[in-house]
Amino acid sequence: MSKITLWSIILGLAIGTGHLTKLRVLNLIGPSEVLFGIFAIYILVKHGKRIFSFEFNSLEGLIKILLFLNIFIFAPIMTMINILILKLPQSTPEYMFSFFIGWILLFGVYVLYKENNINMETVALTSSIIFITTNLISLFFFPNLSMYSETRFEGFAKNPNQIVFYSTTILILIFIYIKGFTKYTLAGLIIYIGILAGSDAYNLTLFVFVFMFFILNFTRFFKVNYKIKLLGLILIVLIISACILIVYHNEVLSLWYFADEGAEETGGGRLVLYLNSMKALILSPIIGFGLGQLSGFSRPFEGMEVHNTFLDFSLQFGLIFSFLVYSIILYSSYKAFKEKNYLFSSFIISYVILGLFHYYGRHFIFWIELSIFYSYIFNKNKSIRM
């Protein structure tokens, strides 16, 4: 077995076991964290100089520097200020090290990918098989342990949303790097597991994916510049969304409260968390407040996450950080649309939609996905066809 295959399998195992949060020791370290740690050490030893080299004369280098400053400098300083001076009990410095590793994974995998020192097909195949196998084992052999409620499956995860997130992100790997019958077989099983989790956000994500794939393919019939196509597409989506909200306002609100568990009891659920996060963000919009759970139902800083990746990132690292991260993701969708890779473009959009309802930025797999998008934009020798 070659070194490339070995380390590709290790990364795949790390991703595929990421949802096994019930197996963590001290609620912090489980099989996935150990494997990601081993992989991070490997890429640091082999490519540390490349990973921590910085260029100031390119957009690629500027993004790398700004993300480094936010994660390694500003966030730790703000976290310590919150703990020692502001006395915010909602700070979570224990996650600081995981974001350090996340940054290393982002640019380490990019280096490996750029130099053909990792086999992403092996990563995708390994992670999907492990994810499917562990969930089917929990479903059939540990049914009492596997249910969050009578209707929601969580397997060996601590809540169904972790199943949803890993299902969505591993699907991206499958659709990019696995071909033919195997792709659709694995994707079908993973979608089935995701549906078992009973998440309305996941169902919405799948709907958006199908809807956007249909709409994007519809643009093939218009022989105009792709920029005009994109502008027209945005206008169509906005008009349709506005019409639905205007005509079915009450129904949409009722559906939101039904889907958002505990919304009525907390006076608005996620909507209130979003509002209070924005109130907090006004106080430190550039560099955020450091790591912590910084929103709440009655006011900011009550020890609640926002359950929105963009807003959680903004509160912890600042708006510049969030805009950089989402620029990478959304530009990937734009580039895929420009190249008529509508399947990939649609899936990225649905991936963003899922992040509106969950905070998945603290998971290591998020940084692997971001590395794929980053490579897609800046590595001209690589292309993605789906």
Side-chain angles (χ1 to χ4, degrees), residues 66-297:
L66 290 174
L67 294 181
F68 175 85
L69 290 174
N70 274 277
I71 291 176
F72 285 87
I73 308 297
F74 300 146
I77 290 174
M78 291 302 298
T79 303
M80 292 301 104
I81 288 174
N82 289 336
I83 294 173
L84 300 175
I85 300 176
L86 301 180
K87 307 294 184 182
L88 284 179
Q90 299 82 10
S91 295
T92 54
E94 63 270 20
Y95 286 108
M96 197 176 298
F97 192 63
S98 68
F99 281 102
F100 293 165
I101 295 177
W103 185 92
I104 291 169
L105 290 172
L106 165 57
F107 294 103
V109 171
Y110 173 64
V111 170
L112 294 177
Y113 193 70
K114 191 174 183 179
E115 298 181 354
N116 293 314
N117 283 325
I118 192 165
N119 187 327
M120 292 304 295
E121 182 179 358
T122 300
V123 173
L125 193 62
T126 303
S127 60
S128 57
I129 290 174
I130 294 298
F131 179 81
I132 292 167
T133 302
T134 52
N135 278 293
L136 291 181
I137 288 173
S138 66
L139 180 64
F140 291 113
F141 294 100
F142 302 94
N144 294 331
L145 180 68
S146 299
M147 301 307 293
Y148 176 78
S149 64
E150 292 183 0
T151 58
R152 300 194 68 185
F153 171 78
E154 65 179 7
F156 293 124
K158 286 194 171 179
N159 72 67
N161 294 331
Q162 292 167 356
I163 297 293
V164 165
F165 170 62
Y166 277 89
S167 169
T168 305
T169 50
I170 292 175
L171 276 174
I172 292 177
L173 295 176
I174 290 174
F175 278 120
I176 295 175
Y177 299 111
I178 299 178
K179 308 300 179 185
F181 178 76
T182 304
K183 171 198 287 190
Y184 297 105
T185 301
L186 294 174
L189 288 169
I190 288 179
I191 290 173
Y192 169 71
I193 292 169
I195 291 173
L196 287 179
S199 167
D200 292 293
Y202 185 73
N203 295 335
L204 176 62
T205 299
L206 294 177
F207 171 78
V208 169
F209 167 63
V210 174
F211 175 75
M212 290 307 302
F213 183 62
F214 171 79
I215 292 293
L216 293 181
N217 271 282
F218 185 68
T219 63
R220 293 178 186 271
F221 298 103
F222 299 93
K223 306 299 182 182
V224 294
N225 183 277
Y226 71 90
K227 292 182 180 179
I228 297 176
K229 285 185 180 181
L230 180 61
L231 179 61
L233 179 65
I234 293 173
L235 289 174
I236 290 172
V237 172
L238 288 176
I239 290 171
I240 292 175
S241 300
C243 290
I244 292 174
L245 288 174
I246 292 171
V247 177
Y248 299 103
H249 171 76
N250 292 330
E251 290 81 357
V252 170
L253 193 60
S254 298
L255 183 61
W256 175 274
Y257 280 121
F258 174 78
D260 190 6
E261 295 178 3
E264 294 185 1
E265 292 83 353
T266 57
R270 278 180 168 82
L271 289 177
V272 176
L273 292 176
Y274 299 164
L275 179 62
N276 285 327
S277 72
M278 294 176 191
K279 291 179 180 178
L281 188 58
I282 293 173
L283 303 176
S284 182
I286 306 301
I287 59 175
F289 293 93
L291 304 184
Q293 299 171 331
L294 303 168
S295 189
F297 287 121

Side-chain angles (χ1 to χ4, degrees), residues 19-32:
H19 66 289
L20 304 180
T21 49
K22 286 179 181 175
L23 304 183
R24 286 178 176 172
V25 177
L26 301 177
N27 200 33
L28 289 174
I29 300 175
S32 179

Side-chain angles (χ1 to χ4, degrees), residues 10 14 17 25 28-41 364:
I10 290 175
T17 57
V25 177
L28 289 174
I29 300 175
S32 179
E33 287 72 28
V34 172
L35 290 164
F36 269 119
I38 293 171
F39 185 80
I41 292 171
F364 290 140

Side-chain angles (χ1 to χ4, degrees), residues 54-62 65:
F54 300 96
E55 298 177 0
F56 297 86
N57 57 351
S58 67
L59 178 60
E60 176 184 350
L62 182 62
I65 292 168

